[in-house]
Amino acid sequence: MIKKYFRTLFIIVIAVVQNIQGQEIQIFSLEDFDLKGQVKSCLVSTDYGKEEYDFNKKGFLTKSVTRYNDQDYDAVYYKYSNGELLEKRSESYRNNTFDASTSIAHFYSIDSTDTMKIQERIFSYDKQFLDEYIYVYDEFGDLASIKRTNNDGTDVTQIEHKKFQGENTITYLLNDVPLKSIRTSTQKLKNRPEQRIVLTKEYVKGEENFAFEEVFTLDGRLMAQQEFEYNVQAKKFEPTTRTSYTYDDMGMLVSETAKRGAGIIKKEYIYQYDKKIEGNWIKQIVTPDNTYTTRKITYYPADTKVIEK
């Protein structure tokens, strides 16, 4: 969906400098960018610059480039083997010159002799060791812990999974201090389809700080999001902004309405599509801002079959 697409854009943009803790390794595919069919590349033009994405024939992202201007850009390269991520290289270019001081390389190895274990080692381009992460999964395939080691020492993020009365709660704890919790449940409504409710709480120094609740259809379409801020004096979360989303028959986001107190902000989305059978959008107009995003999409040529007589 569109919401997922722009979240992915944000993740790619900050990937070069982000210090990730308590997050699973992500492999991006066409679906994350709201693309369908045999897409080879996608050039996105926005108000802050341009995004370029390349995909292999299996639909995995192999390269992303964020261009801020003609001379400054960041590039991320992905290398796979049998559908698993083996290597990710994040390179920075300023004044059309490669900047080794801010460029890093991630190398991954998988050990599945017992339960799944993934090692991620991060180096600078001058071959200085920066970080090592060990991702350990339990017998059910759920991420159970992340061990981070660098020159400052070792930190362990534990991931607890609890199921109770149809609710599934995942809690991230860094050295036994809570970082985040995610509770997922299914809500059955009279005369309406079931919904999936996801409540995420974020902590600062172990104290509750911020939360948001998302409502999804069972096929993953985000319908609403309620934000909360923690009132220290009242010792409870209080609702702030609620945003609702509507979609057309193709599943495309067509309107977004945010309410905070007496204030209401509404956006509407208008699309133009390419003429391919896949029907990918190539222009998105947002009103009343009258901003727009354009996409230039290149496809792999259709495989031709030779019929022997």
Side-chain angles (χ1 to χ4, degrees):
M1 298 304 116
I2 294 299
K3 290 295 291 183
K4 185 177 182 181
Y5 167 69
F6 285 110
R7 283 178 183 166
T8 304
L9 279 178
F10 179 72
I11 292 171
I12 295 292
V13 168
I14 65 174
V16 175
V17 296
Q18 184 183 35
N19 183 16
I20 301 175
Q21 279 195 340
Q23 298 293 326
E24 288 193 71
I25 297 170
Q26 285 188 286
I27 294 178
F28 296 106
S29 64
L30 292 171
E31 182 182 358
D32 295 303
F33 298 86
D34 194 31
L35 290 166
K36 297 175 286 186
Q38 291 293 307
V39 174
K40 182 178 182 180
S41 64
C42 179
L43 173 62
V44 183
S45 297
T46 67
D47 55 355
Y48 64 81
K50 294 182 178 180
E51 301 279 349
E52 302 171 20
Y53 304 105
D54 292 345
F55 303 89
N56 61 22
K57 286 191 174 182
K58 293 183 179 179
F60 292 151
L61 180 67
T62 58
K63 177 184 176 182
S64 68
V65 180
T66 301
R67 295 190 180 275
Y68 309 104
N69 52 54
D70 292 339
Q71 297 186 346
D72 301 329
Y73 61 95
D74 295 323
V76 184
Y77 300 87
Y78 302 85
K79 184 178 179 180
Y80 307 91
S81 177
N82 297 321
E84 301 290 348
L85 183 62
L86 289 185
E87 185 178 314
K88 181 176 74 173
R89 292 182 176 269
S90 303
E91 299 180 353
S92 295
Y93 294 82
R94 297 297 180 264
N95 296 319
N96 275 332
T97 302
F98 174 66
D99 186 356
S101 65
T102 59
S103 299
I104 57 177
H106 305 244
F107 300 97
Y108 304 90
S109 60
I110 299 175
D111 181 1
S112 58
T113 53
D114 191 7
T115 56
M116 178 72 73
K117 182 185 296 184
I118 299 176
Q119 180 191 52
E120 176 184 12
R121 304 199 75 198
I122 306 174
F123 294 86
S124 66
Y125 265 55
D126 57 4
K127 298 183 180 180
Q128 295 294 315
F129 170 75
L130 300 177
D131 280 295
E132 178 190 69
Y133 292 89
I134 303 294
Y135 304 84
V136 179
Y137 295 78
D138 61 22
E139 64 271 23
F140 305 105
D142 294 323
L143 183 62
S145 67
I146 302 173
K147 180 180 179 182
R148 178 192 181 191
T149 302
N150 56 26
N151 293 332
D152 295 327
T154 299
D155 291 319
V156 178
T157 300
Q158 297 290 341
I159 297 93
E160 297 179 348
H161 299 263
K162 294 182 180 180
K163 294 183 179 181
F164 179 73
Q165 294 183 348
E167 294 182 348
N168 182 28
T169 301
I170 303 173
T171 303
Y172 294 80
L173 303 103
L174 176 60
N175 299 328
D176 296 322
V177 178
L179 293 172
K180 179 174 65 175
S181 67
I182 304 171
R183 187 186 70 195
T184 303
S185 60
T186 301
Q187 184 179 56
K188 296 181 180 180
L189 302 174
K190 187 177 181 180
N191 299 324
R192 292 176 60 185
E194 286 185 90
Q195 296 178 327
R196 182 163 54 90
I197 312 297
V198 181
L199 176 63
T200 302
K201 293 182 180 180
E202 297 179 355
Y203 300 79
V204 175
K205 296 181 180 179
E207 300 293 332
E208 294 176 313
N209 180 63
F210 178 76
F212 58 94
E213 183 181 74
E214 298 169 298
V215 179
F216 296 90
T217 60
L218 293 187
D219 61 359
R221 189 178 304 172
L222 178 63
M223 302 303 295
Q225 176 175 289
Q226 175 68 63
E227 298 179 15
F228 301 87
E229 292 180 356
Y230 191 72
N231 186 321
V232 178
Q233 286 73 29
K235 296 183 179 180
K236 65 178 182 178
F237 280 105
E238 296 178 344
T240 55
T241 303
R242 180 172 181 82
T243 307
S244 59
Y245 308 91
T246 59
Y247 301 82
D248 61 17
D249 293 339
M250 297 175 59
M252 300 298 295
L253 179 69
V254 293
S255 70
E256 174 182 330
T257 304
K259 297 181 180 180
R260 186 183 179 102
I264 298 177
I265 299 176
K266 185 173 183 179
K267 295 181 180 181
E268 294 186 344
Y269 298 82
I270 303 168
Y271 303 93
Q272 294 178 5
Y273 296 87
D274 60 19
K275 296 182 180 180
K276 300 291 183 180
I277 192 172
E278 290 83 1
N280 286 305
W281 65 268
I282 54 176
K283 187 173 185 178
Q284 179 200 67
I285 303 170
V286 183
T287 62
D289 303 342
N290 288 326
T291 59
Y292 65 89
T293 299
T294 61
R295 305 197 302 184
K296 183 179 180 180
I297 301 171
T298 302
Y299 295 87
Y300 283 102
D303 294 332
T304 56
K305 295 182 179 180
V306 178
I307 302 176
E308 297 183 359
K309 295 184 178 180

